Amino acid sequence: MLGDPAYYGRFGFRGDLAAGFESAFAGGHFMVLPLTDGLPATEGRLDYAPAFGNLT
């Protein structure tokens, strides 16, 4: 998820959980929403659909 941490943090999105993932959009606005008590993966590469390519 990309967005304002102050806003999306209210809904459970967490930037610290996204720290292990590589992405063209990694940084302070890159967040993860855990749907269970643990994430199935805590690191790796996340690629967005080609339509997002113009945002970098």
Side-chain angles (χ1 to χ4, degrees):
M1 158 54 93
L2 295 171
D4 181 1
Y7 178 81
Y8 287 102
R10 297 182 294 168
F11 304 104
F13 287 88
R14 295 177 44 190
D16 61 320
L17 296 178
F21 295 100
E22 297 176 45
S23 170
F25 303 106
H29 290 88
F30 189 54
M31 296 170 280
V32 170
L33 174 64
L35 300 177
T36 62
D37 285 338
L39 294 175
T42 57
E43 62 184 20
R45 174 140 185 95
L46 299 174
D47 293 314
Y48 281 73
F52 288 89
N54 293 331
L55 299 177
T56 59

